[in-house]
Amino acid sequence: MSREARAAEQDRAAGGRLTRAVDIGKGRYARASVALRLYRSTRRIRAYLRWSQDGETHEQYVGEVDAATRAANLAQAWGIAHAAGYVTTETVPPDSWASSPASRAVMSANKGRDTKPERALRSALHRQGLRYRVGVRPIPSLRRTADVVFSRARVAVFMDGCYWHGCPEHHRPAKKGAEFWQDKIEGNRKRDAETNQALSEAGWLVIRVWEHEDPEQASHRVIEAVRQRQAEAPAAKDSA
């Protein structure tokens, strides 16, 4: 993986580049990364925060993570690091286009799509012979984009990130800027509920998959739902 790809991976997991900041004093920040280490004797995964300061590499133990994917483990580790106060949100320069560090971080984080968990789920569905559309609005007039869409069966699948959608298993509330982040996550939850209701009222079945879920197990859930809808409407086929 290239240096740019590694940085992008860390940005996605942390919720934006500016949220990877370690305050080293006097208005200065160091850009941190999370390293995951698997201890084979115990099968446990430990997360460490690493950053460079004055030419020296520093390391801080964050905690153990236990998600099913690397992306989810990184997100979980960043959540712990924020909650513990090991990292903060960097102050935005005066000439920045963002109105605040938090808003800039959110904008940066929201650019990501076609994530590893999404690709894994799509591959599992494809192996089972299902065909679908990717990243489209189930209802063109409704500004809600689903990750996987079975148009004829009217099944919309959303892959939800553990941090941004408040996963009950892996979400860890941040201590720094807690009110902002809590409002953001609650807003996402509200929007998710509104999306579910709007699509349901229009005759769609909504399936939500957490990014930490095993893709094979999640695909079985989707396949069962699609085939059941097909059985209810014989004209529907397992294609977009």
Side-chain angles (χ1 to χ4, degrees), residues 73-147:
N73 276 323
L74 286 173
Q76 185 179 350
W78 278 109
I80 297 171
H82 275 282
Y86 298 145
V87 289
T88 186
T89 302
E90 184 177 345
T91 302
V92 172
D95 58 351
S96 172
W97 48 262
S99 60
S100 70
S103 63
R104 182 173 177 178
V106 169
M107 292 176 191
S108 299
N110 285 342
K111 294 179 182 177
R113 58 174 295 180
D114 199 34
T115 62
K116 184 177 180 180
E118 290 174 18
R119 297 196 303 271
L121 176 61
R122 296 201 304 261
S123 295
L125 294 170
H126 195 277
R127 285 195 297 271
Q128 295 298 319
L130 272 71
R131 300 299 179 262
Y132 44 78
R133 301 179 69 190
V134 176
V136 298
R137 297 180 183 179
I139 303 174
S141 61
L142 181 66
R143 297 184 60 184
R144 298 293 194 275
T145 300
D147 297 301

Side-chain angles (χ1 to χ4, degrees), residues 4-47:
E4 292 77 12
R6 289 195 298 270
E9 179 186 50
Q10 294 286 337
D11 288 346
R12 288 193 297 270
R17 182 172 175 79
L18 292 182
T19 61
R20 292 169 50 198
V22 174
D23 189 344
I24 59 177
K26 297 183 179 179
R28 297 184 302 154
Y29 299 92
R31 192 79 59 211
S33 297
V34 165
L36 301 176
R37 296 176 186 168
L38 171 62
Y39 289 80
R40 300 187 182 279
S41 60
T42 61
R43 303 303 301 174
R44 292 181 175 179
I45 303 174
R46 293 181 178 179

Side-chain angles (χ1 to χ4, degrees), residues 5-229:
R6 289 195 298 270
E9 179 186 50
Q10 294 286 337
D11 288 346
R12 288 193 297 270
R17 182 172 175 79
L18 292 182
T19 61
R20 292 169 50 198
V22 174
D23 189 344
I24 59 177
K26 297 183 179 179
R28 297 184 302 154
Y29 299 92
R31 192 79 59 211
S33 297
V34 165
L36 301 176
R37 296 176 186 168
L38 171 62
Y39 289 80
R40 300 187 182 279
S41 60
T42 61
R43 303 303 301 174
R44 292 181 175 179
I45 303 174
R46 293 181 178 179
Y48 295 82
L49 200 66
R50 302 188 68 187
W51 69 95
S52 178
Q53 180 179 345
D54 299 326
E56 296 183 2
T57 298
H58 296 259
E59 188 171 273
Q60 169 69 54
Y61 174 62
V62 174
E64 291 188 357
V65 292
D66 57 4
T69 66
R70 173 177 171 81
N73 276 323
L74 286 173
Q76 185 179 350
W78 278 109
I80 297 171
H82 275 282
Y86 298 145
V87 289
T88 186
T89 302
E90 184 177 345
T91 302
V92 172
D95 58 351
S96 172
W97 48 262
S99 60
S100 70
S103 63
R104 182 173 177 178
V106 169
M107 292 176 191
S108 299
N110 285 342
K111 294 179 182 177
R113 58 174 295 180
D114 199 34
T115 62
K116 184 177 180 180
E118 290 174 18
R119 297 196 303 271
L121 176 61
R122 296 201 304 261
S123 295
L125 294 170
H126 195 277
R127 285 195 297 271
Q128 295 298 319
L130 272 71
R131 300 299 179 262
Y132 44 78
R133 301 179 69 190
V134 176
V136 298
R137 297 180 183 179
I139 303 174
S141 61
L142 181 66
R143 297 184 60 184
R144 298 293 194 275
T145 300
D147 297 301
V148 177
V149 174
F150 300 88
S151 300
R152 294 183 182 177
R154 307 191 86 180
V155 174
V157 183
F158 294 82
M159 176 69 72
D160 291 339
C162 289
Y163 183 81
W164 292 107
H165 294 262
C167 170
E169 293 185 37
H170 301 124
H171 175 67
R172 300 292 185 274
K175 290 183 178 179
K176 300 288 185 178
E179 184 176 354
F180 170 84
W181 294 113
Q182 187 62 32
D183 288 346
K184 173 62 180 174
I185 292 167
E186 287 300 326
N188 289 342
R189 287 172 170 168
K190 182 179 179 181
R191 181 181 174 86
D192 291 344
E194 292 173 347
T195 299
N196 294 350
Q197 182 177 350
L199 291 179
S200 178
E201 290 176 350
W204 285 78
L205 174 66
V206 176
I207 298 177
R208 291 194 173 271
V209 179
W210 289 111
E211 67 176 350
H212 71 262
E213 290 188 56
D214 179 85
E216 293 295 336
Q217 293 181 3
S219 71
H220 292 326
R221 182 152 54 97
V222 174
I223 292 167
E224 182 179 357
V226 170
R227 290 178 176 167
Q228 182 177 346
R229 300 275 288 195

